[in-house]
Amino acid sequence: MYLIDRTIQFVRGFLLSYGPQEIKRRVWDREYRNNKWYFRDNTIGDCVYPPLENYSRKGSILDLGCGSGNTATEIADSAYASYLGVDISQAALEKASARTKQTGREGKSRFARADFLEWQPSGEQFDVILFRESIYHIPLDRIKATIDRYSIYLKEGGVFIVRLFAANPKTAKIKHRPIAMLRIIEDEFDVIESRRYETKGRPALLVFRPRQRDDVEKAG
Ligand SMILES: C[S@@+](CC[C@H](N)C(=O)[O-])C[C@H]1O[C@@H](n2cnc3c(N)ncnc32)[C@H](O)[C@@H]1O
């Protein structure tokens, strides 16, 4: 049974990072429609909120892999002026839009259905670009290129925030792929804040920016 579960998890993980867009969309839609992610409906008090609220500077947030609207509805209303959530799952976005209306935030929040590996913002720039438990779905060898591609959509002084679990919240087993992702970011970007928490699932949080040209030249 253990071996079957592990194999299913491996195939799922592989498809969600490397599979065609249509397969990824179908898997996520089915999981959201089957309420697999209902526990994400309440994440008030999560470690992502203090840095997100601080670095948003009452400005704009781009949330890549936004899911069913927890960040859009739980972040302090006074901390930002506009929010754009992007997700591959239509089912997730329907839920996110409904929750946004319920909380009266539809005036400052928008959602778009797209694969963040390909999607391009239409010219606007953001104070924060967030990957909240969604960076797992970028192939390891595309992490740097994907973040580099989004860098031009950061405002002057803007930051990326990545929040992930470094261990399995149920079994407490360390997850090597997310840790490798943290290492790539630490090696390739200017890290402003790095936090590791010892609570369930060992949440980790990085706030970072693209390297300045001078730093790149020094490093090279
Ligand atoms: C674990 S959920 C996290 C959702 C939300 N950020 C949160 O913290 O609750 C991962 C989300 O990433 C989305 N996702 C995965 N791969 C994606 C891709 N290539 N493009 C856009 N969204 C993607 C999924 O649909 C899902 O909503």
Side-chain angles (χ1 to χ4, degrees):
M1 199 62 191
Y2 170 78
L3 212 62
I4 294 172
D5 276 356
R6 291 278 302 177
T7 309
I8 292 172
Q9 282 314 313
F10 176 80
V11 172
R12 176 186 176 277
F14 183 84
L15 280 177
L16 292 184
S17 290
Y18 297 89
Q21 207 183 115
E22 186 51 24
I23 300 272
K24 293 191 279 190
R25 185 187 66 73
R26 281 182 191 207
V27 172
W28 283 109
D29 273 349
R30 205 179 57 191
E31 292 187 355
Y32 275 107
R33 294 210 161 102
N34 290 343
N35 274 331
K36 176 174 175 180
W37 296 98
Y38 74 94
F39 64 91
R40 304 293 306 164
D41 287 358
N42 184 347
T43 58
I44 292 170
D46 188 79
C47 61
V48 76
Y49 291 121
L52 183 58
E53 289 165 2
N54 177 26
Y55 287 98
S56 296
R57 307 184 293 190
K58 301 195 183 299
S60 52
I61 300 168
L62 172 62
D63 185 1
L64 294 169
C66 63
S68 53
N70 48 348
T71 307
T73 57
E74 291 174 355
I75 180 177
D77 202 2
S78 57
Y80 69 106
S82 71
Y83 168 98
L84 173 57
V86 174
D87 204 283
I88 200 164
S89 163
Q90 185 62 32
L93 293 179
E94 281 164 13
K95 196 165 178 186
S97 296
R99 293 173 72 197
T100 298
K101 264 197 195 133
Q102 279 162 16
T103 51
R105 300 193 192 198
E106 65 268 41
K108 57 192 212 177
S109 301
R110 291 167 294 145
F111 297 94
R113 203 198 70 74
D115 184 335
F116 56 49
L117 292 176
E118 327 257 313
W119 181 74
Q120 289 194 358
S122 54
E124 63 190 304
Q125 289 184 311
F126 303 87
D127 292 283
V128 174
I129 299 181
L130 172 68
F131 286 96
R132 178 176 177 188
E133 285 166 58
S134 55
I135 200 162
Y136 317 118
H137 308 298
I138 302 179
L140 263 189
D141 60 353
R142 290 181 66 183
I143 296 274
K144 179 174 177 335
T146 302
I147 296 172
D148 279 344
R149 188 171 70 75
Y150 279 108
S151 294
I152 58 168
Y153 302 107
L154 273 186
K155 282 185 190 166
E156 179 83 36
V159 296
F160 287 96
I161 299 182
V162 166
R163 188 258 193 246
L164 53 72
F165 280 117
N168 182 319
K170 285 184 196 145
T171 62
K173 208 170 161 214
I174 291 295
K175 299 203 288 183
H176 295 287
R177 198 162 167 273
I179 289 175
M181 292 177 169
L182 294 174
R183 267 201 214 110
I184 292 172
I185 295 170
E186 283 166 346
D187 286 350
E188 302 288 351
F189 298 92
D190 267 351
V191 175
I192 305 162
E193 281 189 43
S194 170
R195 291 170 193 262
R196 305 282 200 276
Y197 301 86
E198 293 306 317
T199 50
K200 214 168 146 195
R202 299 211 180 187
L205 196 133
L206 287 181
V207 180
F208 60 97
R209 291 197 173 101
R211 284 222 168 111
Q212 298 299 307
R213 236 192 137 66
D214 292 354
D215 297 344
V216 175
E217 277 159 17
K218 268 184 227 153

